[in-house]
Amino acid sequence: MKYKIDIDGRTREIELIRNSENTRWRVMLDGREIEADAVRVQRDVLSLLIDGRSYTALPDPRGDETAVVLGARRIPYTIADPRSLRSRSRTGAAQTGTRLVKAPMPGRIIRVLVHPGESVAAHQGLLVMEAMKMQNELKSPSSGTVTRIAVQPGDTVQPAQVLVTIE
Amino acid sequence: MNKKIQKVLVANRGEIALRILRACRELGLSSVAVYSDADRASLHVGYADEAYRLGPSAATESYLRTDRILEIARQSGADAIHPGYGFLSENAEFAAACEQAGVRFIGPSSSAMRMLGSKTKARQTADAADLPRVPGSTQALGSLAEAKRVALDVGYPVMLKAAAGGGGKGMRAVASESELAGALENATSEAERAFGSGEVYIEKLIQQPRHIEIQLLADHHGNCVYLGERECSVQRRHQKVVEEAPSAAVDEALRRRMGSAAVRLAQAAGYTNAGTAEFLVDAERNFYFLEMNTRLQVEHPVTELVTGLDLVHLQIQIAQGDPLPFTQQDVVLRGHAIECRIYAEDPENGFMPSPGKITRLLQASGPGIREDCGIYEGWTVPLDYDPILSKLIAYAPTRALAIERMLRALQEYHVGGIATNVNLFRRILSDRGFRSAEIDTGYLERLLAESSTSTLESGAVRDNDAENAATIAAAIFEQSQIAAETKENGNAAPANAWKATGRREGMRL
């Protein structure tokens, strides 16, 4: 996969090529080849070894901004490649197909905000779920029509359980 | 007074509530937490043996409800109340209400609080105890004419201060008489709003002072000791940001002079329990009494680390009538401690509070690191209160080592999902002025004005290897996120992708 990344005041071209070994990556960065060893060590935390130097990186999104934290620094970046997900969602290109809204964590459904057959906009609230003693609104990943609501208020749900289907 | 305390109600929230609850557990005491609706899922509620709802989220309907707190104390059988800091901690009426209800208030008596709690009263008490203090009025200003007369008397520049004040509210620096009328009006209305009292007094403005305070402990048997000083000169808008003990500006002789002055003040007021006398210290090492804080301070851990004492334990023991278990001669300062107050606020964005959900929390540990913390991963920082998240405290044999240790800990520390002031501490602790202890109460504002964009970023030498690593990490995050979503449902793209469990699970490399 090739990316253009705006990071630290520069635009970098990067291609990740997976090596045969599980954690090794061959990376083409601005035409230069770099060997990188990458392992996820904790949730979200990436250990990177490049030429013997060890880095710990983790994603640190805040609102719409994406950033990577590397050591003591937080470095915002944007993916400039047109094929990348983020720029696609930013341009708001229509997405087709069936979308499943799943429970992100164990919890309880408090309210259902939509009806089957209702058309919804992207980011519109679909239902309110209580998790970790807090209520959160689960939002629609895209615009579309609600075809199925699999839960009702009071239901307890498990992670990854399908709650709402949107076409 | 000799009956031992059995059950303590902690009338506070956040890190300080947890700090006190931990002490209760260590002392084998039962504990009662109280909470507002915003805090049902907060750490202190789950930590206490019992917990009761106070009311809605607004502090005035919960943590400031004297009646509710006393009712809960009665119903739960709590025989003591620890007020923490903020909220009701310096409210003499609350202390008096506890006394009347027969519940021990873990703090000074209401009468001592009245003598020292209001800043004008404290200045009168200080005069009686012969403490050096900043020249100015000991009475609230009655009129603009009176303000003009006092200001002229002490000489400009002067400072207007709210008598009931704290936290920098109701304070105005006035450079000349032409600014006085406007500043007086602002300070009065701000004080009125913040403290319910518009009383304002005048002090001479000491140029580039250090803020140095003395920790006191006094029991009910006439013993009063000082536990050295804390330097709290690193402030922004009169709010402390970094505190340390001991102060680089205080030698043993000055410590003894300031300490005995603070003890004199406490004894003049019949003060008991923990308290802090705040002083300004000028370039010639003259010290001036500022005010007395009649409670446990946010920054008490730095004193605990350099003295080896537990102030909350001692507060409870004093409150149940025990004599202090040591004398002034036993108090020895050892090593150096620094505290950083980690706040949910964005220094790059005008220090705007940044409440919200903590999506990731990596905490610091290892030698010499203490964290007094009230947060956890997945917790949402409420809008309703002071946005303090945590206090990171480093302890080492020397100041230089404590600074390096704190920088190391800050590198380990990560709060995801909300903005925090962690980077500001990196900047302060790396700054030459701070490292050589050339600090005064204007230091931080000057540092922030130096360059509004972070010098940490622009001043740093470009590290090409690190930039490459960051770019590779960003690409890997992006790729694993796409992989996860492709695997999940063909071509889906959740709006807030990194927060989705599915994608995290997909980040297998």
Side-chain angles (χ1 to χ4, degrees):
Chain A
M1 188 99 60
K2 268 189 190 166
Y3 302 98
K4 252 189 194 162
I5 300 181
D6 289 327
I7 186 164
D8 241 3
R10 285 203 267 176
T11 302
R12 319 282 310 257
E13 279 192 12
I14 183 167
E15 184 177 7
L16 301 177
I17 304 155
R18 186 174 223 132
N19 277 10
S20 53
E21 278 175 85
N22 208 24
T23 62
R24 307 285 304 171
W25 298 74
R26 194 155 60 84
V27 179
M28 293 297 291
L29 183 58
D30 296 330
R32 223 184 100 217
E33 188 174 323
I34 297 174
E35 288 268 326
D37 189 294
V39 177
R40 193 182 72 164
V41 290
Q42 296 183 46
R43 182 161 73 69
D44 285 355
V45 180
L46 189 72
S47 163
L48 265 181
L49 301 177
I50 302 168
D51 280 340
R53 272 184 74 175
S54 171
Y55 303 93
T56 300
L58 67 165
D60 189 29
R62 223 174 268 165
D64 287 335
E65 181 189 76
T66 47
V68 54
V69 169
L70 188 87
R73 287 188 65 202
R74 180 177 186 273
I75 310 163
Y77 68 86
T78 50
I79 302 281
D81 189 291
R83 278 179 304 167
S84 106
L85 192 83
R86 212 161 286 283
S87 42
R88 259 190 290 119
S89 58
R90 204 180 296 117
T91 54
Q95 281 150 7
T96 54
T98 302
R99 318 286 306 275
L100 304 174
V101 178
K102 298 176 179 182
M105 55 185 105
R108 198 165 58 90
I109 304 301
I110 302 296
R111 271 192 303 281
V112 178
L113 306 171
V114 292
H115 307 287
E118 189 173 331
S119 28
V120 291
H123 312 309
Q124 183 178 335
L126 299 176
L127 39 82
V128 178
M129 183 178 149
E130 187 184 70
M132 303 188 70
K133 296 162 183 168
M134 275 173 302
Q135 298 192 357
N136 286 297
E137 212 173 76
L138 295 190
K139 295 183 163 66
S140 177
S142 67
S143 58
T145 306
V146 177
T147 54
R148 185 164 169 269
I149 297 172
V151 290
Q152 54 186 14
D155 287 1
T156 45
V157 294
Q158 297 308 313
Q161 182 178 337
V162 176
L163 309 175
V164 178
T165 309
I166 290 167
E167 304 250 359
Chain B
M1 196 45 93
N2 284 326
K3 196 165 165 284
K4 298 287 179 205
I5 289 171
Q6 308 285 335
K7 189 189 268 193
V8 178
L9 184 150
V10 179
N12 215 298
R13 62 179 300 281
E15 65 86 19
I16 194 61
L18 199 62
R19 161 77 187 90
I20 298 161
L21 290 168
R22 282 175 163 150
C24 291
R25 188 159 293 175
E26 288 162 5
L27 294 173
L29 306 175
S30 305
S31 60
V32 180
V34 290
Y35 62 91
S36 72
D37 288 342
D39 274 329
R40 173 61 188 87
S42 292
L43 280 181
H44 72 283
V45 179
Y47 196 94
D49 297 325
E50 296 169 51
Y52 302 97
R53 178 178 178 272
L54 280 171
S57 303
T60 48
E61 296 185 74
S62 51
Y63 298 104
L64 293 172
R65 283 281 302 271
T66 302
D67 55 336
R68 287 282 300 137
I69 290 167
L70 284 170
E71 186 188 322
I72 291 168
R74 190 175 51 77
Q75 284 174 356
S76 63
D79 49 9
I81 294 179
H82 197 305
Y85 55 70
F87 296 126
L88 293 170
S89 61
E90 297 190 89
N91 184 317
E93 277 79 60
F94 180 62
C98 290
E99 288 157 14
Q100 270 159 27
V103 181
R104 264 173 289 204
F105 178 82
I106 301 176
S109 67
S110 58
S111 62
M113 253 174 164
R114 286 201 175 95
M115 281 186 80
L116 293 168
S118 140
K119 295 189 186 188
T120 43
K121 273 279 184 117
R123 290 163 66 80
Q124 292 161 23
T125 312
D127 281 357
D130 201 22
L131 258 69
R133 63 159 176 84
V134 182
S137 55
T138 52
Q139 304 277 341
L141 297 165
S143 63
L144 178 61
E146 191 189 343
K148 279 186 178 163
R149 190 175 47 73
V150 176
L152 211 62
D153 213 39
V154 301
Y156 288 95
V158 299
M159 197 74 159
L160 293 176
K161 291 185 165 187
K169 295 226 170 62
M171 281 174 81
R172 288 287 183 286
V174 184
S176 66
E177 190 172 305
S178 61
E179 296 172 15
L180 187 63
L184 183 63
E185 205 176 297
N186 288 337
T188 305
S189 68
E190 197 172 295
E192 183 77 51
R193 264 178 286 127
F195 313 110
S197 153
E199 269 189 46
V200 170
Y201 65 98
I202 283 183
E203 269 181 9
K204 185 170 177 57
L205 187 72
I206 306 288
Q207 306 277 6
Q208 304 209 338
R210 286 173 178 258
H211 176 119
I212 296 174
E213 58 189 31
I214 299 286
Q215 175 69 54
L216 292 170
L217 279 179
D219 65 17
H220 293 276
H221 307 273
N223 305 305
C224 182
V225 297
Y226 60 91
L227 305 180
E229 76 284 359
R230 292 184 289 260
E231 161 110 45
C232 312
S233 298
V234 181
Q235 303 184 350
R236 187 181 156 271
R237 299 198 174 166
H238 309 290
Q239 299 258 25
K240 297 162 188 170
V241 175
V242 176
E243 301 103 339
E244 56 185 310
S247 163
V250 176
D251 57 17
E252 194 46 49
L254 181 57
R255 182 172 301 125
R256 201 173 312 121
R257 278 166 55 218
M258 292 177 72
S260 18
V263 167
R264 265 200 326 272
L265 177 73
Q267 288 177 330
Y271 195 86
T272 51
N273 219 289
T276 296
E278 296 190 332
F279 296 92
L280 291 180
V281 178
D282 69 16
E284 287 75 45
R285 297 197 180 180
N286 299 307
F287 63 91
Y288 306 95
F289 173 70
L290 207 53
E291 62 182 76
M292 178 89 167
N293 290 315
T294 57
R295 57 172 158 82
L296 189 66
Q297 303 266 103
V298 177
E299 60 273 23
H300 75 275
V302 293
T303 297
E304 295 189 319
L305 291 172
V306 298
T307 58
L309 299 168
D310 189 303
L311 291 182
V312 179
H313 285 193
L314 289 161
Q315 279 194 293
I316 293 171
Q317 287 156 1
I318 289 170
Q320 70 186 4
D322 297 350
L324 275 175
F326 54 84
T327 63
Q328 187 65 58
Q329 285 71 39
D330 300 324
V331 177
V332 180
L333 304 185
R334 215 165 147 252
H336 197 95
I338 300 177
E339 172 181 280
C340 293
R341 295 189 187 190
I342 298 175
Y343 272 82
E345 64 182 19
D346 189 356
E348 315 225 319
N349 214 336
F351 289 85
M352 284 278 287
S354 60
K357 185 167 178 171
I358 295 168
T359 55
R360 195 74 179 94
L361 180 62
L362 297 175
Q363 284 163 298
S365 59
I369 294 299
R370 162 172 168 181
E371 186 185 7
D372 281 19
C373 170
I375 61 172
Y376 57 86
E377 194 171 294
W379 186 64
T380 299
V381 183
L383 303 146
D384 311 84
Y385 316 105
D386 188 57
I388 190 165
L389 299 176
S390 179
K391 299 179 318 205
L392 204 55
I393 309 116
Y395 176 66
T398 64
R399 184 173 191 268
L401 273 174
I403 290 173
E404 297 307 326
R405 183 159 274 172
M406 180 62 89
L407 281 166
R408 183 269 292 172
L410 288 168
Q411 187 146 344
E412 294 174 11
Y413 205 78
H414 172 75
V415 183
I418 57 171
T420 69
N421 58 353
V422 166
N423 264 325
L424 175 66
F425 297 119
R426 294 200 178 106
R427 191 168 161 201
I428 294 168
L429 269 64
S430 308
D431 176 64
R432 197 182 313 147
F434 181 83
R435 295 171 78 93
S436 55
E438 288 158 18
I439 46 178
D440 59 68
T441 56
Y443 160 80
L444 184 54
E445 303 282 3
R446 291 196 299 276
L447 183 73
L448 291 170
E450 243 171 50
S451 91
S452 45
T453 58
S454 168
T455 49
L456 195 74
E457 317 244 321
S458 57
V461 188
R462 284 201 91 112
D463 179 346
N464 250 314
D465 291 342
E467 285 179 25
N468 289 348
T471 310
I472 291 167
I476 289 175
F477 293 142
E478 198 65 22
Q479 168 142 330
S480 51
Q481 139 193 350
I482 292 170
E485 279 144 15
T486 310
K487 198 176 85 184
E488 195 175 326
N489 43 16
N491 196 14
N496 215 341
W498 269 110
K499 290 177 184 168
T501 308
R503 180 162 59 188
R504 287 198 300 264
E505 290 311 307
M507 200 173 112
R508 274 182 215 108
L509 304 170

